[in-house]
Amino acid sequence: MSKASNIVWHESNVTKEERQKMKGHSSAVIWFTGLSGAGKSTVSVDLEKELHKLGVHTYRLDGDNVRHGLNNNLGFSAEDRAENIRRVGEVSKLMADAGLVTLSAFISPYREDRDNVRKMMNEQEFVEVYVKCDLGVCEDRDPKGLYKKARAGEIKGFTGIDDPYEEPNKPEITVETDKHSVEECVKQIVDYLKQNGYLGE
Ligand SMILES: Nc1ncnc2c1ncn2[C@@H]1O[C@H](COP(=O)(O)OS(=O)(=O)O)[C@@H](OP(=O)(O)O)[C@H]1O
Ligand SMILES: Nc1ncnc2c1ncn2[C@@H]1O[C@H](COP(=O)(O)OP(=O)(O)O)[C@@H](O)[C@H]1O
């Protein structure tokens, strides 16, 4: 809910549709959710490179990066995670309005928070990608050494250890990074986007 009153929406003279036409592809928010170490960053970085080669205008938003700036006043309580996801959802929506394909990679552990982002956009604009990976595999990978710290009790409220992760019920795409290579996961997403008309002619 807005705290401000007496504010009036001001329309632009260039529409989203006109921006999309100029770019030659649809806008979309590709929302990566999954455990720490599941591969959200790795897959989204390689997917962006692939989309760029195909002439798609992209931008990537990543939990670690956004928490250095826009969201540096938020921690990892359920309330702060909800606010993190709400703000990133609003930024993703602005980017969709600008005609971009945004790749948003956040643990986003709560189904309700992700569904609230979905509700912010047009139905076909939100593509939820569940980056699925067994917790044990994530823990073995431990690319930042955070699981080790969480197990040692040095980090409290770590997702998957002593904080919840709610799997998506009906994601548009599930990539299983403990069964398929990065290249295969990227191809699966590109194929979905092509088959569903996101990438233009
Ligand atoms: N308590 C706790 N739980 C989970 N993750 C933690 C925590 N503390 C720090 N980190 C680091 O923060 C990154 C997750 O940030 P997100 O913004 O994606 O989290 S969330 O969507 O708000 O849940 C996450 O990055 P990824 O490993 O890329 O997922 C971690 O590096
Ligand atoms: N199929 C795969 N997809 C994504 N990452 C993989 C895969 N196989 C192994 N990895 C490795 O797993 C780690 C995933 O880390 P990262 O992308 O930072 O995860 P997240 O962003 O979800 O925390 C990386 O070290 C990556 O090289």
Side-chain angles (χ1 to χ4, degrees):
M1 290 300 272
S2 177
K3 277 191 183 171
S5 52
N6 302 314
I7 48 171
V8 180
W9 188 266
H10 205 113
E11 287 296 341
S12 290
N13 265 346
V14 180
T15 66
K16 186 199 290 193
E17 290 67 31
E18 285 167 331
R19 287 186 236 278
Q20 291 178 344
K21 199 168 169 210
M22 181 183 261
K23 293 186 185 310
H25 58 77
S26 311
S27 13
V29 175
I30 306 177
W31 190 277
F32 294 84
T33 172
L35 294 170
S36 177
K40 303 179 297 296
S41 301
T42 305
V43 173
S44 62
V45 163
D46 281 19
L47 174 65
E48 182 172 43
K49 188 93 195 149
E50 206 51 42
L51 291 176
H52 192 77
K53 277 197 247 164
L54 293 169
V56 178
H57 297 237
T58 58
Y59 197 73
R60 214 173 60 81
L61 296 168
D62 191 283
D64 273 324
N65 298 354
V66 172
R67 281 175 173 278
H68 276 94
L70 177 67
N71 290 350
N72 66 5
N73 62 333
L74 299 175
F76 291 93
S77 65
E79 293 73 25
D80 279 9
R81 289 183 200 252
E83 177 61 9
N84 183 36
I85 299 312
R86 187 193 69 79
R87 287 185 203 169
V88 173
E90 291 288 357
V91 173
S92 303
K93 183 182 168 176
L94 289 175
M95 294 201 168
D97 195 45
L100 298 175
V101 171
T102 304
L103 290 75
S104 303
F106 294 81
I107 295 179
S108 42
Y110 296 106
R111 212 172 278 133
E112 185 184 359
D113 297 343
R114 296 190 302 264
D115 288 347
N116 285 338
V117 176
R118 183 186 286 276
K119 283 183 216 147
M120 289 177 192
M121 347 233 154
N122 296 337
E123 205 183 323
Q124 77 290 350
E125 257 171 357
F126 187 79
V127 179
E128 188 173 32
V129 179
Y130 177 25
V131 183
K132 188 174 180 186
C133 184
D134 183 75
L135 175 65
V137 175
C138 294
E139 218 173 329
D140 285 345
R141 289 179 180 166
D142 207 4
K144 300 172 201 154
L146 298 179
Y147 282 100
K148 196 160 169 240
K149 284 190 182 166
R151 288 289 184 199
E154 291 165 29
I155 304 177
K156 302 278 184 224
F158 196 76
T159 305
I161 304 299
D162 54 353
D163 224 45
Y165 178 78
E166 299 173 358
E167 292 192 326
N169 285 334
K170 273 180 74 183
E172 277 71 17
I173 308 172
T174 299
V175 291
E176 298 186 70
T177 67
D178 48 5
K179 296 196 175 73
H180 301 286
S181 68
V182 179
E183 295 71 29
E184 286 167 338
C185 296
V186 168
K187 185 176 182 309
Q188 191 186 335
I189 301 169
V190 171
D191 287 349
Y192 177 93
L193 296 175
K194 280 185 179 162
Q195 282 157 17
N196 289 276
Y198 286 92
L199 303 187
E201 317 287 73

